[in-house]
Amino acid sequence: MASWGKIARRTFLIGSAAVAGGVAFGVWQYRRELPNPLQPGEGAATLNPWIVIDQQGVTLIAARAEMGQGVYTTLPALVAEELDVAWEDVRVIHGPAAQAYYNAALMGHGLPTTDYDRTGFQEVMIEAMSVLPKMIGLQVTGGSTSTIDAYQKLRQAGATAREVLKQAAADRLGLPMGSLETRDGRVIAPGGIEIRYAELAEEAAALDPPRSVELRPASQWKYLGRSMPRLDMVEKVTGTAPFATDIRLPGMRFATVRMTPRLGGEMLSYDASAAEAMPGVDRVIDLGTGIAVVASNTWLAMQAADAVEITWGPAPYPDTSEEMLDIIRTALDAAPNSTLRDVGDVDATDVDPADRVIEAEYTVPWLAHATMEPMSAAAHHTGDRLEIWAGSQSPGFAERAAAEAVGLPADQVTCHVTYLGGGFGRRGEVDFVVLAARIAQAMQGTPVQVTWSREEDMRHDFYRPAAAARMRGVTRNGFAHALDGKVSAPSVTRQSMQRLVGMSPPGPDKGHVEGMFNQPYAIPNYRVTGHLADLAVPVGFWRSVGNSFNGFFMESFIDEMAIAGGRDPLGFRLDLAEREHAPSAGVLQAVAEMSRWNADRPEGTGMGVAMTYSFHTPVAVVIEVQDREGVIALTRAWVACDVGTALDPAIIEAQMVGGLLFGLSAAMIEEISFADGEVQQWNFPDHDALRIHQTPEVEVRILETQSHLGGVGEPATPPSMPALANAIYDLTGERIRDLPLNRRVRFVT
């Protein structure tokens, strides 16, 4: 961001003066009902939270955090397309935490229905349910919804701004609006007259904008549909991009934390005398469930924290991973929380002697988010105000939680959103912000930078839950005749919502069974039940959430059904998808063609396929593996997705590759385990990710046949795991039903 952006960020976020001489434009559905968070200053006026035009040009106030997914590139393109300004001239800053920036698209995941076959009534229900995120100010970056939510809003904002600027010019010149055009940030009048948008801004602000404007068709797009340069790339490769760990304020001190390794347990006692005697250590703060050390630099704070002798109380959950998994498995025999798909009659299905009956159980472990930038936040408490700088996926929730923690009214707390050094759902939590606020309160008047050590970050996550599934299937004449799936895990949705809004949603938990109940397969007898396992281990949203484990369960079992029925695994899936959902069949056909699935394979080579529909996008993956003297190498991977409308193909490809590798890392080598109530993994050597030399060559194909826009940040993760397991089966004949795979096979290291 330019220096203007850094200045403007502060003025907008503290809710005082907007940019002098600037004016904000745009229309969105609830303009007259929600307050505009951009307060006008001298010579400035605002109509809406999205677009500001001043003497320096156009600035987009982004409502979603940039965490590598490319929103700071695609969102300006949405505006530039309709506003007639050069895309590269649109500056971007993150908006304040405000109700106006709620994410209505998250409700697209809310109804307990399959997403690929919505009826008109269901669409109306989703629209009606958008009232909920509006009411609670659900300003969240997640669920692969950033561009889905912005697609209409920002195009409409740009188009409306264009029209009121034309009206202002028409009034000034005494000409009909129909005689005016716009181009390159100017209104063009007959006779060669050109007026810059900046010159018309304040006049336009006084006009009543139209309630709706016809948007330009895709055939007229100049930026959307093309691969655009990443606007955030220069800052990131030059080290000038401001992440939370980069914040520096005058007089700043530096802190770190040590919290109970038995998550949710108590700190019984501590002795900080050795730490307090270290030169440069300011103080040790009692946080109740742990301590914070404030010092002259971060490294010293971490060394001092290690010097504090602490006695911890017991964990509020079983001591070991094995005990926890027993509880999760036992829940499969309890009454279900949900039965969101139950077609045909699984129980009454008569089994013909020629039918093949397949039964299998699967498990997956707990997983950490392991973001590259550990949890961090800067905070400054001045007595009557608190300012926070954090890479947050939910700044509104962060502000409210911090305010409560330090006893301030919510309107006296401001969260400045920085770039995120990885999110994946972890930075949707507010714990790291609350701790920074409490430490700043203890150091009142002194700004404090709080950085967690990697070990603290890894051992105090809100984990992707461990899960188990029990599957039963019947094939008849080589075709899927019945599938009965049961899945058990702690509920991410209930735990997360309890923490963030103080209540757990009632009724069936859709997120718990997504990736299994809502798959586009025409199985005549098809039932899925969800069983909740109550454990006090903290769990949270992890890239692709329930799809991440259910995708593995479902697509591993579909492979087993295909083999049992004597069918080719890809052809078996294609037969099911063609009769249910054409775009899902299309991505299977695409990966078959890309990978030359039906061609002869060299000896010592295996290939596996999987397809998962999630976040409104079907994604099919084929993985190729090779046996290298008893060690398995991932050589090539093919990914096909159908996103409906590809707004930026390069970003979509990057997200597909990133989601694939994220899932492959989890499938191969990652797990969180417990002993004596404590997490055993401390750092990346214990919870590693794929390295470059282990990474397959990846090819991506993007299809656009769906009628709706699909998400791209998460849907490549679920099919990657079963595709790899299925490839290993094809290579070795060994069916592995428990992750990570390196418990049973050796990979190239």
Side-chain angles (χ1 to χ4, degrees), residues 256 275 278 293 298-308:
T256 195
M278 297 171 69
V293 174
T298 298
W299 178 248
L300 175 59
M302 290 181 177
Q303 295 300 300
D306 287 341
V308 179

Side-chain angles (χ1 to χ4, degrees), residues 174-448:
L175 295 173
M177 269 189 69
S179 67
L180 305 180
E181 298 178 351
T182 54
R183 184 173 62 248
D184 296 331
R186 292 173 168 81
V187 177
I188 313 299
I193 299 173
E194 298 185 3
I195 309 176
R196 293 173 57 242
Y197 286 170
E199 298 174 41
L200 296 165
E202 291 190 61
E203 294 169 57
L207 300 175
D208 188 19
R211 295 298 295 172
S212 64
V213 178
E214 185 175 350
L215 302 178
R216 288 173 174 163
S219 60
Q220 295 180 16
W221 287 349
K222 296 185 293 184
Y223 305 114
L224 298 174
R226 296 173 51 197
S227 296
M228 305 299 292
R230 288 286 295 267
L231 284 178
D232 56 330
M233 193 61 68
V234 172
E235 289 182 311
K236 289 179 177 178
V237 300
T238 58
T240 59
F243 293 85
T245 47
D246 298 316
I247 298 300
R248 295 293 182 269
L249 299 171
M252 176 170 271
R253 304 301 280 178
F254 301 86
T256 195
V257 295
R258 274 189 71 200
M259 297 166 288
T260 172
R262 298 179 185 122
L263 309 175
E266 297 180 344
M267 180 174 66
L268 302 180
S269 64
Y270 71 95
D271 180 357
S273 57
E276 291 170 333
M278 297 171 69
V281 171
D282 295 335
R283 61 182 297 187
V284 176
I285 301 169
D286 186 343
L287 296 173
T289 57
I291 56 96
V293 174
V294 183
S296 57
N297 62 71
T298 298
W299 178 248
L300 175 59
M302 290 181 177
Q303 295 300 300
D306 287 341
V308 179
E309 296 181 4
I310 307 176
T311 302
W312 305 110
Y317 46 77
D319 279 347
T320 68
S321 305
E322 291 75 17
E323 293 174 89
M324 296 178 196
L325 194 55
D326 285 343
I327 292 173
I328 292 171
R329 285 196 182 102
T330 299
L332 290 168
D333 297 316
N337 160 263
S338 69
T339 307
L340 295 184
R341 188 156 186 165
D342 191 1
V343 298
D345 194 340
V346 172
D347 293 324
T349 299
D350 295 326
V351 178
D352 187 275
D355 292 346
R356 294 297 305 274
V357 179
I358 310 97
E359 296 181 331
E361 290 196 11
Y362 303 87
T363 66
V364 295
W366 310 88
L367 290 173
H369 294 81
T371 61
M372 190 59 67
E373 180 191 25
M375 296 302 105
S376 59
H380 189 198
H381 193 298
T382 55
D384 60 350
R385 289 202 60 83
L386 172 67
E387 284 192 84
I388 300 163
W389 291 260
S392 174
Q393 293 176 247
S394 55
F397 289 128
E399 284 187 354
R400 290 194 283 274
E404 182 177 355
V406 300
L408 286 175
D411 61 2
Q412 291 175 227
V413 178
T414 299
C415 181
H416 307 273
V417 179
T418 65
Y419 282 127
L420 280 63
F424 315 124
R426 176 62 180 95
R427 286 186 161 88
E429 300 290 342
V430 300
D431 59 318
F432 64 104
V433 175
V434 167
L435 287 173
R438 292 179 60 196
I439 295 167
Q441 183 183 35
M443 298 291 293
Q444 192 170 123
T446 300
V448 182

Side-chain angles (χ1 to χ4, degrees), residues 34-35 63-64 96-104 106-107 129-141 153 393-400 497 500-501:
L34 296 180
R64 305 291 168 254
Q99 189 180 7
Y101 297 124
Y102 72 95
N103 187 342
L106 284 170
M107 285 297 100
M129 288 173 67
S130 68
V131 172
L132 177 60
K134 173 187 170 186
M135 288 173 59
I136 65 176
L138 195 65
Q139 184 182 350
V140 172
T141 304
K153 287 180 181 177
Q393 293 176 247
S394 55
F397 289 128
E399 284 187 354
R400 290 194 283 274
M497 294 304 289
L500 292 175
V501 300

Side-chain angles (χ1 to χ4, degrees), residues 356-566:
R356 294 297 305 274
V357 179
I358 310 97
E359 296 181 331
E361 290 196 11
Y362 303 87
T363 66
V364 295
W366 310 88
L367 290 173
H369 294 81
T371 61
M372 190 59 67
E373 180 191 25
M375 296 302 105
S376 59
H380 189 198
H381 193 298
T382 55
D384 60 350
R385 289 202 60 83
L386 172 67
E387 284 192 84
I388 300 163
W389 291 260
S392 174
Q393 293 176 247
S394 55
F397 289 128
E399 284 187 354
R400 290 194 283 274
E404 182 177 355
V406 300
L408 286 175
D411 61 2
Q412 291 175 227
V413 178
T414 299
C415 181
H416 307 273
V417 179
T418 65
Y419 282 127
L420 280 63
F424 315 124
R426 176 62 180 95
R427 286 186 161 88
E429 300 290 342
V430 300
D431 59 318
F432 64 104
V433 175
V434 167
L435 287 173
R438 292 179 60 196
I439 295 167
Q441 183 183 35
M443 298 291 293
Q444 192 170 123
T446 300
V448 182
Q449 169 78 64
V450 182
T451 305
W452 295 23
S453 68
R454 172 60 60 196
E455 291 78 12
E456 205 69 27
D457 182 276
M458 191 75 76
R459 303 183 78 207
H460 294 88
D461 204 341
F462 293 88
Y463 299 102
R464 198 290 305 272
R470 185 177 299 156
M471 310 291 288
R472 182 180 184 275
V474 178
T475 62
R476 178 169 294 175
N477 300 321
F479 294 90
H481 182 65
L483 184 146
D484 188 10
K486 296 183 176 183
V487 60
S488 171
S491 172
V492 170
T493 303
R494 291 192 172 189
Q495 243 201 59
S496 296
M497 294 304 289
Q498 184 67 47
R499 285 193 299 269
L500 292 175
V501 300
M503 61 167 287
S504 296
D509 187 338
K510 176 184 177 181
H512 185 72
V513 291
E514 62 184 1
M516 186 181 292
F517 91 94
N518 56 348
Q519 294 309 286
Y521 287 147
I523 302 173
N525 303 284
Y526 183 174
R527 179 175 67 195
V528 171
T529 56
H531 303 258
L532 302 184
D534 188 15
L535 284 165
V537 177
V539 296
F541 296 110
W542 188 91
R543 193 172 190 171
S544 76
V545 204
N547 298 284
S548 68
F549 48 82
N550 288 317
F552 172 69
F553 300 152
M554 181 74 173
E555 284 297 293
S556 294
F557 190 67
I558 289 291
D559 222 64
E560 295 204 47
M561 291 181 69
I563 299 300

